Amino acid sequence: MKLEQLTAPSLRDLFVKTIQDAIISGELQIGEVLPTEREFAEQMNISRSVVNSGLNELQSRGFIEIKPRKGAVVADYIYTGNINTLTALMEYKGIAFTKESVRSILEIRKFAELMVVDRICETATEEDLDVLGKLLGDMSAAKTPKEAALIAFEFWHELAYRSGDIIVPLGIQSFKAPVITLWERYCKKYGISEMVENNRQLFDYIAERDVVSARACVIDYMDKSIEGDLEIYDT
């Protein structure tokens, strides 16, 4: 077993998480004016530089808006948010994986994966297939849902990169955290072997240059996850 060094969260990270969680949970309401930097520092016993850096980070995540002469205000993060907001929402323990939110992410994935399949079936080299095959083997040997989910992401990112498309790999990378979260959830509910089998079947079609079957494979397992037998949203 390889052990990794443990590090404690910084005061800035703890500050950001505290305020972010309060906003997501509704404890802090949209439009509510936050305490000043001085008030935060005094009440939480931290420096104003930590507060300032943390507030700027919360603004970059779409959770607050810093207005001149008014201070920091809780933003309507569904409207002002970005991929970092989505990541925070997916990682927040109290939020439900509703059918609507999961479906939106999976529909985007489905569109991207079909684009990748169209290209990779035509362009895949033996080197590409060797790399993808090794990742598939690593996925099959994964001991935990988290490990399997991380390798599954790497498999699909590699697939997108080797397809020759410029945009899709960047899009997949930007959705890394929420996609891994959903794959991990899938593995916990249905088992790692189910996810491995889906990707193995797709890999076989790609190796055979069978784009029709590869597309059908993507559509089948994505539709099952969206509204079929393998749903991963909260009921």
Side-chain angles (χ1 to χ4, degrees):
M1 176 181 178
K2 182 180 179 181
L3 299 177
E4 298 181 359
Q5 181 178 350
L6 298 178
T7 57
S10 67
L11 286 175
R12 173 183 174 276
D13 292 341
L14 288 173
F15 173 79
V16 169
K17 187 177 188 311
T18 298
I19 305 304
Q20 178 180 279
D21 287 357
I23 293 172
I24 295 174
S25 69
E27 183 180 351
L28 289 173
Q29 298 289 316
I30 293 171
E32 185 172 341
V33 179
L34 298 180
T36 65
E37 289 186 9
R38 176 177 294 176
E39 290 170 336
F40 266 131
E42 291 176 351
Q43 293 177 32
M44 302 180 78
N45 195 28
I46 54 178
S47 69
R48 288 186 63 177
S49 64
V50 167
V51 175
N52 180 268
S53 177
L55 291 175
N56 285 323
E57 175 64 20
L58 287 164
Q59 180 169 245
S60 74
R61 296 185 185 188
F63 286 106
I64 69 170
E65 183 179 359
I66 301 176
K67 299 182 177 181
R69 296 184 298 279
K70 189 172 183 181
V73 179
V74 178
D76 183 353
Y77 55 83
I78 300 300
Y79 182 80
T80 63
N82 49 55
I83 188 61
N84 295 321
T85 317
L86 176 61
T87 298
L89 290 171
M90 297 295 289
E91 292 177 343
Y92 179 68
K93 300 302 181 183
I95 197 166
F97 287 79
T98 65
K99 186 171 185 178
E100 291 73 21
S101 61
V102 172
R103 182 188 183 104
S104 296
I105 295 172
L106 293 182
E107 288 286 6
I108 294 172
R109 267 189 54 199
K110 178 180 175 182
F111 177 76
E113 290 182 13
L114 287 173
M115 288 181 61
V116 168
V117 162
D118 285 343
R119 285 175 171 265
I120 197 70
C121 282
E122 295 180 0
T123 63
T125 65
E126 289 304 315
E127 179 187 349
D128 294 335
L129 294 175
D130 286 344
V131 171
L132 293 169
K134 182 181 183 304
L135 286 171
L136 196 57
D138 292 343
M139 195 190 310
S140 181
K143 302 299 183 183
T144 66
K146 180 68 172 181
E147 182 184 359
L150 288 168
I151 297 170
F153 176 83
E154 187 178 355
F155 175 86
W156 266 100
H157 185 256
E158 195 72 38
L159 199 65
Y161 172 74
R162 290 177 179 274
S163 74
D165 189 277
I166 298 175
I167 302 301
V168 175
L170 299 176
I172 289 176
Q173 188 66 31
S174 68
F175 274 80
K176 181 176 182 178
V179 167
I180 288 175
T181 298
L182 289 177
W183 258 323
E184 183 179 7
R185 186 179 177 86
Y186 182 98
C187 289
K188 287 179 178 178
K189 291 189 73 172
Y190 304 110
I192 296 173
S193 60
E194 182 74 28
M195 184 180 71
V196 171
E197 182 55 32
N198 288 336
N199 286 290
R200 187 183 301 281
Q201 188 175 48
L202 177 64
F203 173 81
D204 289 342
Y205 289 137
I206 292 172
E208 296 167 3
R209 318 291 177 172
D210 186 348
V211 66
V212 174
S213 296
R215 286 180 61 87
C217 181
V218 170
I219 292 170
D220 178 60
Y221 69 69
M222 290 301 297
D223 285 352
K224 285 180 179 178
S225 296
I226 292 170
E227 56 188 355
D229 299 330
L230 300 175
E231 294 171 333
I232 51 178
Y233 57 85
D234 289 328
T235 55

